[in-house]
Amino acid sequence: MEHSAGDTLKIVLLAAAVAGLLAGLGLAYVMDRPDLAATTWVIGVIPVLAALLVEILRSLARGEVGLDIVAALSMTAALLFGETLAAAVVAVMYSGGTFLESFAEGRARREMRDLLSRVPRTATRHRDGHLEDVPLDQIAPGDRLLVRQGDIVPVDGTIASVSAFLDTSALTGESLPVKLAAGAAAMSGSTNAGDAFDLVATKEARDSTYAGIVRLVEQAQSSKAPMSRLADRWSLGFLLVTVAIAFAAWWFTSDPIRAVAVLVVATPCPLILAVPVALVAGLSRAAHYGVLIKGAGPLEAMARARTLILDKTGTLTDGRPRIVSISTQIDIEADELLRLAAALDQATKHPVAQAIVAEAQQRGLTLPVPQEVRETPGEGLTGIVEGRRVIVGGHGFVVGQVDAPAVDHPALSTGSVLVAVGIDGKLAGHMVMADPLRDGTHDMLSGLRRQGVDRILLATGDRHEVAERVTAGLGLDGIRAGLTPDQKVLLVLAERKHGPVMMVGDGVNDAPALAAADIGVAMGARGAAASAEAADVVLLVDRVDRLGPGVEIAHGARRIALESVVAGIGLSVMGMVAAAFGYLTPVQGALIQEAIDVAVILNALRALRIRPAAPKQMCRGTSASCM
């Protein structure tokens, strides 16, 4: 695992504190040299106390008052009045807690580093009858570029070929590839889903669509309010109680050792240790269900979310076209129509054709090898399958080659894709392709409402009629369609008046909104790297219903952390009162505090056994997304 400079410092401080404590114990009780033991304990405490004082000054400069002040007071008082062993114990407890919290952050974020991994670094440019690979920053408006199949469009431009098929789902939320004619505008960040085509650049890379989205992400992250630690929200009250009891003990007894004992017992290790233990356990438990939460702060925020905003394509829907219905016009079975169409579609890489082939294979249909295949880019295919002439493509393309009138099919007005099939010169039938709702979505949303989510909205770049059709029956509180990336950010900011906002998305166009939300959740299995980087939570499996268990685990871990805090503080206050009345020495107070720490940590570890309700979506076949 990689460590930052801050993480390395925390490791060094913990090692110094532990080494000082153990070495001093050896000198005091094995070699009978209490004088050297005291010096060793001081040496182990000084680095921790110095780093702690620097952190306190930084916090105060930011206007923050944290629990670190109590730990600094207890170590300083113990050293001033010769209670060096007590100081060493406190130093180990404090440095251990801060290291554990840092470990939680580093563990969750180590694989989410490259925001720009989707951005192409070079482009292929036509120059003097040859092709050359050039860096993006050398592309100027007017340059003619070649965009190969599967390539990402490097800059905004216009189509210079007869046509092009672009997958814009990562940018606009449109789940099905879009056919663009010559002269049409193409956005950077979209993917070439068809044959290679030429593009004439209209903007430089830094001014193009994808670069603008990246800037939105950076702005949203920089303006996002930092998440406060759960422990810090208890700090001021606990600090005042501690100082009041310690001052009273010294004032009424004139014995400074009693004040030291109070401060040692008051060292807020139930907060410093129990909270990160419970939250780290929650992070581990969530990861078991395929939910990567990037630290304790996001886990807390996930439990407090009151508004949920969902993207459509690739989030509520699978993001890939599927056959939703098959109708026949001649005397032929639906499966036979599908088999012949899929057999011909094996000859093309078009996404719709691949979906038809996948459906036929899932139904166990045997697909023969097609012969004499001819493809009209953007229109369809013709060929021979088992001696029969088959045509598959758009309705207009097929009708133009068979003896049949045009049909005003209802699917054309619902945002679905209509695929026509002709067999032996006749219109044989239609297949309606759509991006249907993911299984288990309704149950997941119902479960989230039970977990405290009051508002659920859809935010998509797709058309409003398509969004309404797909989400019918989900009981959403609102649909916002046709949104650009910056409009999604504005929606997130506007919804904050109802409480913390959780945003779920998968595309590049979702990344700014994910960064701006109180808790951003990305579909990481097939989603864009930019959205995974901008998000606070990543669903590692391609199932949005894992969000339910993730939220339930966040609630459970936070509840257990609060239980540990309340129990630990209650026991600490009892110990402080006992120390104030002289029933505990500083060392005894440190040992009792250790016992309290063990008790609350064991309670915090219960977060490892949280069992959320299992998603009702069942796995199909041997899908890798099933866990």
Side-chain angles (χ1 to χ4, degrees):
M1 180 187 296
E2 297 180 0
H3 295 288
S4 67
D7 293 337
T8 302
L9 176 61
K10 290 172 183 177
I11 294 173
V12 171
L13 292 176
L14 176 60
V18 171
L21 176 62
L22 295 179
L25 290 174
L27 288 169
Y29 299 105
V30 177
M31 301 182 64
D32 195 23
R33 293 295 304 273
D35 53 334
L36 290 180
T39 302
T40 303
W41 286 326
V42 171
I43 292 173
V45 170
I46 291 299
V48 177
L49 181 57
L52 178 55
L53 292 174
V54 170
E55 183 60 33
I56 289 172
L57 291 175
R58 290 175 177 171
S59 297
L60 292 175
R62 296 192 300 265
E64 300 173 359
V65 178
L67 290 166
D68 301 337
I69 295 177
V70 179
L73 284 174
S74 63
M75 279 187 274
T76 302
L79 291 178
L80 288 176
F81 293 101
E83 299 291 341
T84 52
L85 174 56
V89 172
V90 172
V92 170
M93 290 189 294
Y94 175 79
S95 58
T98 55
F99 168 75
L100 186 60
E101 200 166 25
S102 174
F103 173 79
E105 297 286 340
R107 169 188 170 278
R109 288 187 178 270
R110 65 182 181 270
E111 295 180 355
M112 297 292 172
R113 299 297 181 192
D114 191 6
L115 170 64
L116 301 179
S117 63
R118 182 180 167 82
V119 181
R121 301 289 187 254
T122 62
T124 303
R125 182 172 63 186
H126 291 273
R127 176 61 59 90
D128 299 328
H130 297 87
L131 294 174
E132 60 178 1
D133 288 336
V134 295
L136 286 190
D137 58 7
Q138 293 185 16
I139 296 174
D143 284 349
R144 190 182 183 96
L145 310 175
L146 174 67
V147 183
R148 300 181 178 89
Q149 186 178 58
D151 282 355
I152 296 168
V153 177
V155 297
D156 289 354
T158 58
I159 306 299
S161 299
V162 175
S163 64
F165 270 86
L166 293 182
D167 177 0
T168 62
S169 59
L171 296 171
T172 66
E174 175 63 53
S175 59
L176 298 172
V178 177
K179 180 183 178 181
L180 300 178
M187 294 183 293
S188 62
S190 52
T191 303
N192 182 9
D195 295 330
F197 66 89
D198 283 350
L199 178 84
V200 175
T202 57
K203 294 182 180 179
E204 295 181 357
R206 65 173 180 267
D207 299 322
S208 291
T209 301
Y210 188 81
I213 292 176
V214 170
R215 284 193 293 272
L216 278 174
V217 172
E218 294 170 344
Q219 292 167 5
Q221 286 179 325
S222 63
S223 62
K224 184 174 181 177
M227 298 174 184
S228 62
R229 297 184 303 171
L230 184 151
D232 286 340
R233 292 194 289 273
W234 293 72
S235 58
L236 184 58
F238 188 77
L239 174 62
L240 294 176
V241 171
T242 299
V243 172
I245 295 177
F247 180 78
W250 193 352
W251 178 267
F252 288 108
T253 66
S254 300
D255 184 0
I257 300 302
R258 291 198 183 188
V260 173
V262 169
L263 291 173
V264 169
V265 176
T267 302
C269 292
L271 291 171
I272 295 173
L273 291 174
V275 171
V277 165
L279 299 184
V280 169
L283 298 179
S284 299
R285 192 61 177 161
H288 176 75
Y289 285 84
V291 183
L292 175 65
I293 304 176
K294 299 179 182 180
L299 185 140
E300 286 188 62
M302 200 172 184
R304 301 197 309 272
R306 292 296 173 265
T307 298
L308 173 65
I309 300 177
L310 294 158
D311 173 49
K312 180 181 73 67
T313 304
T315 303
L316 279 185
T317 66
D318 187 57
R320 293 172 288 194
R322 286 170 48 190
I323 295 176
V324 294
S325 68
I326 300 176
S327 60
T328 59
Q329 304 289 329
I330 62 174
D331 186 17
I332 186 174
E333 294 291 333
D335 274 5
E336 179 64 10
L337 179 76
L338 173 62
R339 188 180 74 88
L340 294 175
L344 181 60
D345 277 340
Q346 293 176 105
T348 180
K349 292 184 178 181
H350 193 282
V352 172
Q354 292 177 334
I356 293 173
V357 172
E359 178 69 21
Q361 292 173 338
Q362 186 175 343
R363 297 190 186 190
L365 303 179
T366 301
L367 304 181
V369 178
Q371 306 294 326
E372 301 179 21
V373 178
R374 290 186 179 182
E375 181 174 0
T376 302
E379 301 291 344
L381 295 91
T382 63
I384 304 297
V385 179
E386 294 181 338
R388 309 186 72 175
R389 178 160 293 280
V390 180
I391 308 172
V392 181
H395 179 74
F397 174 75
V398 175
V399 166
Q401 301 193 42
V402 300
D403 183 18
V407 177
D408 186 15
H409 198 284
L412 297 175
S413 62
T414 63
S416 301
V417 171
L418 184 65
V419 178
V421 182
I423 300 176
D424 295 333
K426 296 181 180 180
L427 180 62
H430 294 92
M431 293 179 287
V432 178
M433 310 286 295
D435 187 15
L437 202 66
R438 289 179 184 267
D439 294 337
T441 299
H442 186 278
D443 292 331
M444 178 203 69
L445 296 182
S446 298
L448 290 176
R449 289 193 187 276
R450 291 192 296 271
Q451 291 291 329
V453 176
D454 302 320
R455 287 173 55 80
I456 301 179
L457 306 175
L458 181 73
T460 178
D462 212 341
R463 293 169 299 180
H464 195 278
E465 62 271 17
V466 176
E468 278 193 330
R469 176 182 56 81
V470 170
T471 60
L474 288 183
L476 301 181
D477 296 295
I479 295 176
R480 308 290 187 269
L483 299 183
T484 59
D486 54 337
Q487 289 173 332
K488 288 188 176 184
V489 172
L490 292 176
L491 176 62
V492 167
L493 298 179
E495 286 298 319
R496 279 187 174 161
K497 64 179 179 289
H498 300 292
V501 176
M502 179 161 56
M503 168 75 190
V504 186
D506 75 315
V508 176
N509 62 326
D510 299 316
L514 295 177
D518 296 285
I519 184 75
V521 182
M523 303 291 293
R526 291 192 294 116
S531 62
E533 172 64 26
D536 304 294
V537 178
V538 179
L539 303 183
L540 299 177
V541 293
D542 191 29
R543 293 176 55 178
V544 72
D545 64 350
R546 290 302 173 96
L547 182 62
V551 172
E552 191 172 343
I553 289 170
H555 275 280
R558 187 170 184 270
R559 183 184 65 253
I560 290 171
L562 285 171
E563 291 172 355
S564 299
V565 166
V566 171
I569 287 181
L571 292 172
S572 294
V573 170
M574 293 172 61
M576 284 190 281
V577 172
F581 281 98
Y583 296 113
L584 295 175
T585 66
V587 173
Q588 290 172 336
L591 295 177
I592 286 178
Q593 186 60 59
E594 282 290 348
I596 295 173
D597 293 343
V598 171
V600 297
I601 288 173
L602 290 176
N603 182 69
L605 288 173
R606 291 192 299 117
L608 288 171
R609 300 196 300 273
I610 297 173
R611 293 186 178 275
K616 293 186 178 181
Q617 178 179 340
M618 300 301 292
C619 295
R620 291 191 178 96
T622 57
S623 171
S625 67
C626 298
M627 292 183 63

